[in-house]
Amino acid sequence: MIKTYQNYLIKLFYKKILLTSLIFFCLIIILNIFEEINFFKNLEINFLLPFFISLLRAPSNLFEVFPFIFLISSQLFFLEIISKHELEALKVYGLNNFKIIKVLFLSSFFLSLFLIVIFYSFSAKLNFLYLDIKNKYSDDNKYLAVVTKNGLWIKDEVSETIYIINSTNIENNFLKNVIISKFDKNFDLESVIKSSKVDIKRFKWEIYQPTISTDNKKIEYDKNIFIETHFNQKKINSLYRNLSSLTPFELLRLKKDYESIGYSTNDILLQLHRLASFPFYLTILTLLMSIIMLNTKRDKPVIYHIILGVFLSVVIYYFYYLFNMFGKNNTIPILTSVWLPLLILVIFIIIGLIRINEK
């Protein structure tokens, strides 16, 4: 059974997380609204649309800042119990610093599990809806690319010509086993171009020795031909960069589809490892701030703690971001880029816990 002091500490900690989350959520919505108004300023739309899609996007943005929220909430938790002299009162009844940290450890870990299992999937669905709605008003809406179990599919529109392109796999800057269906603006089929290899390094694709079918007639070319597109290797490699709009199960399906065509899965693996490490990340930040607060002199002003919280949030964010970038660029293995920063933070925590009860 949960003891009275445990129940009090858990409620206080969750109250601080809820309060901090609401503040961040409001700030995120305000910033999103300004961004969406700027995006739609030249379009004739219902004036409520920017507000609506700002709400759709906000949960996903909030999920990204939960590490800051847990760090700051832990700081606010200790500021309250210290200012009310509750820390000393708890110690009178035999509750030492380690037991307090243990309660926060379990509380943050179970809350983190809820966030990754329930909240993340919910925010991903809303973010997908946000991107889908916004894409309808984007200039890039007529240029689409997607990976399925049947390979890479691209829809492109150049002048009054529409291309539907399918490729079984990608090798470096080449599409392999390519079928390009060419339509006019009324979507009437004009020709079908087949080639074993297409160079997509530039926006002007080089099609190697194609076979072109027109009106049931096939012509095989010994020379290469060129077509203008809105896609090149770099743009195709940016497919699904917004992986936060996909649930873990959708990420696993996408990974399988990418592997089937030889497409790089580094970004997906990085996202999956980040999600798997998320509960540990939030819990570690809670423990880190708890140890810092218990080792800080009680007479420090509030502004000192505010500056400390902001400084630590920024340092840890860029520290974690730097390792993630190394993993994304293949400088270090994906596994190392995600878990090594957490291991380093754990080492600092273990050092801080050695004499925590003497504080």
Side-chain angles (χ1 to χ4, degrees), residues 6 14 16 59 61 110 115-116 132 139 141 197 239 272 295 338 350:
Q6 292 174 330
Y14 284 169
K16 296 303 179 184
N61 294 144
F110 285 117
L115 293 175
I116 199 66
D132 187 51
D139 292 336
N141 186 36
K197 184 169 67 172
L239 292 175
L272 287 170
N295 281 276
V338 175
I350 292 173

Side-chain angles (χ1 to χ4, degrees), residues 226-242:
F226 296 85
I227 64 170
E228 294 285 347
T229 74
H230 291 96
F231 290 88
N232 62 358
Q233 182 187 8
K234 184 177 180 181
K235 189 169 183 179
I236 291 176
N237 285 340
S238 68
L239 292 175
Y240 273 116
R241 284 295 181 189
N242 198 330

Side-chain angles (χ1 to χ4, degrees), residues 13 40 82 89 112 277 322 332 350:
F13 181 57
F40 289 109
I82 289 173
S112 301
S277 67
L322 182 64
I332 59 176
I350 292 173

